[in-house]
Amino acid sequence: MDWDQLELNPRITAAVRRAKLKSVREVMCVSGPDLQGLTGLSRSDIQQLLTAVAAACRRHPPVPALLLQRGQCPRLESGLRLSVGCPVLDELLRGGLPVGGVTELSGESGAGKTQLALQLCLSVQYPPQHGGLNSGAVYICTEDSFPIRRLQQLIRDQSRLRSDVPPDLISRLQFSDRVYIEHTADLVSLSTDLRSGVAAGVFVPPCPPPAGSGAGPAPGGGLSGGSVQV
């Protein structure tokens, strides 16, 4: 795609060309601070660039939750749904989050985004008749350390939070064994990890430490950081 096809200030376009960034994919694979260093653009200019590039990469325009709730997006009406573990939200989303796309959660600090993401890591493990997918989750951390204590608390409280699920089924699920955690700073390092075997949909149990290494098991019954997937 030619840079002139994007709705960008000519000054931003010129800076991108000077930096010899040849495609939108190249831009998406560079972190914001690195883009600033390469182009000399301000933070707000980089945000405009990333917004324009992301829009150019979309196959379909984003669908707000309100349209989903109203049933005004036919292409998302059929297919699997993933329960978010809350009857009120599931009803608003007409059964849960659509499977097969990217759902973006946004909100102020403390709004509950992380809590909902952690609950989804557990909800996906339930069988379809209880809103899950009989699968696992990859949790990608880009800033802080993984909130393992909050996840452990959610696991302990599943019987109370998911009163719609038989207690014996909950007790059989080894939740922490199917949440894989990846820490990454940008798309480049994430892509490198994916090529080395850390890929969504490929669930590899954590490896035991080498004999005599002195390393103990990861906290949380199988959860660990680094390049481990759950």
Side-chain angles (χ1 to χ4, degrees), residues 162-210:
R162 294 299 305 269
S163 57
D164 58 309
V165 181
D168 61 321
L169 172 58
I170 293 177
S171 65
R172 291 198 305 270
L173 291 173
Q174 300 296 318
F175 289 107
S176 63
D177 290 343
R178 302 184 78 187
V179 180
Y180 293 80
I181 304 162
E182 170 67 18
H183 285 82
T184 186
D186 50 46
L187 284 176
V188 174
S189 57
L190 177 60
S191 298
T192 300
D193 288 335
L194 291 176
R195 286 195 297 270
S196 65
V198 183
V202 179
F203 304 109
V204 184
C207 297

Side-chain angles (χ1 to χ4, degrees), residues 55-153:
C57 291
R58 291 192 186 106
R59 294 182 180 179
H60 303 284
V63 179
L66 184 59
L67 292 185
L68 192 65
Q69 189 269 330
R70 291 173 177 170
Q72 295 178 352
C73 187
R75 68 182 173 83
L76 295 179
E77 284 304 298
S78 60
L80 292 173
R81 285 284 206 281
L82 172 60
S83 168
V84 300
C86 172
V88 175
L89 290 178
D90 280 341
E91 183 177 355
L92 288 173
L93 295 169
R94 301 173 70 84
L97 300 180
V99 173
V102 176
T103 299
E104 179 181 0
L105 306 173
S106 62
E108 296 181 359
S109 177
K113 303 182 295 297
T114 298
Q115 193 78 2
L116 184 54
L118 293 175
Q119 178 57 49
L120 288 172
C121 289
L122 306 183
S123 294
V124 72
Q125 300 185 46
Y126 286 105
Q129 60 266 37
H130 294 294
L133 300 173
N134 252 339
S135 191
V138 176
Y139 193 108
I140 301 172
C141 297
T142 58
E143 295 180 353
D144 299 328
S145 59
F146 180 76
I148 188 169
R149 291 184 180 179
R150 291 171 67 182
L151 181 65
Q152 290 171 331
Q153 183 181 18

